[in-house]
Amino acid sequence: MHIRAPAILCAVRAHGEHGAVVRLLTADHGLVAAYVAGARGREMRPLLIPGNVLDADLRARNDSQLPSARIELVTSRGPWLTEPLPSAAIGWACALTAATLPEGYPYPALHAALGASLDAICHAPSARGWARALAGYEALLLREVGYGAAPAPPADEDWPALLNRLDRHGTAIGNRLLADRHRDVMAARAILLDRLKRMDA
């Protein structure tokens, strides 16, 4: 097995004394898990931030072996980690993706939408500029994994209506995709929604 592709880093879990297992979303190969040697070293830590876009080179001797990954940074989300709202949104979008998508199934539309949502989170002037993109990503993910299409929001959707739509998505995600598991994933969403609602207080 050999894959070389741009990838969005969705999750990082320490493995062994120095390494980590990462989960990467690629356009053509879907979600892929791989081992990164030296992941906790000073040089690698800035690369292994969820939301980062990486150039990933994945290799394994056979299909049953966890691939090893060599990675290079393409786009960093590091500068937004100190901002509470963007940091929470990036963390939620990546955790949702890693926790719900099966490995090895391509979802090119989700790959493109996640990338666009992360760009919006990082570059829109405020959360009011990117929350709609995040809601669109959640709706697309629910549809892509088989839970039907949500009705399109009205063109004049205001902030309270958008927050209500995000609440409905959360119920669907919690009950259908993450029922009885990954409580920490939904906790990340609860933090994000609490911060968004405080904007309207």
Side-chain angles (χ1 to χ4, degrees):
M1 171 197 163
H2 182 207
I3 297 171
R4 177 82 184 260
I8 300 169
L9 179 62
C10 293
V12 182
R13 180 172 51 85
H15 184 82
E17 196 170 338
H18 303 290
V21 174
V22 299
R23 302 189 83 194
L24 304 161
L25 185 64
T26 68
D28 295 331
H29 305 279
L31 198 65
V32 182
Y35 176 77
V36 178
R40 284 182 271 173
R42 194 180 320 168
E43 292 182 5
M44 293 297 292
R45 278 200 303 268
L47 278 67
L48 296 178
I49 295 170
N52 277 1
V53 180
L54 305 171
D55 181 27
D57 189 340
L58 311 174
R59 296 173 186 263
R61 290 197 178 103
N62 55 62
D63 290 341
S64 63
Q65 183 185 42
L66 181 69
S68 60
R70 292 185 180 181
I71 55 174
E72 294 179 9
L73 183 64
V74 176
T75 304
S76 175
R77 308 297 180 190
W80 288 272
L81 293 185
T82 58
E83 300 293 329
L85 262 171
S87 176
I90 292 167
W92 159 246
C94 293
L96 171 67
T97 304
T100 57
L101 294 188
E103 289 185 13
Y105 290 86
Y107 292 96
L110 280 177
H111 178 268
L114 178 58
S117 297
L118 293 172
D119 284 344
I121 290 165
C122 293
H123 299 296
S126 75
R128 292 175 187 270
W130 55 252
R132 190 164 278 103
L134 184 61
Y137 178 69
E138 291 180 344
L140 178 63
L141 188 144
L142 282 162
R143 187 182 74 203
E144 289 283 298
V145 298
Y147 287 101
D156 60 348
E157 181 181 46
D158 61 14
W159 184 247
L162 175 58
L163 292 176
N164 287 335
R165 183 156 63 101
L166 285 166
D167 278 336
R168 292 195 301 273
H169 289 177
T171 300
I173 290 166
N175 291 342
R176 297 173 179 176
L177 300 183
L178 297 170
D180 300 323
R181 60 192 179 96
H182 300 298
R183 289 184 185 173
D184 55 331
V185 178
M186 288 305 289
R189 191 179 198 282
I191 291 168
L192 170 62
L193 265 290
D194 179 63
R195 290 175 180 173
L196 288 173
K197 288 174 180 178
R198 271 192 250 158
M199 288 177 53
D200 205 36

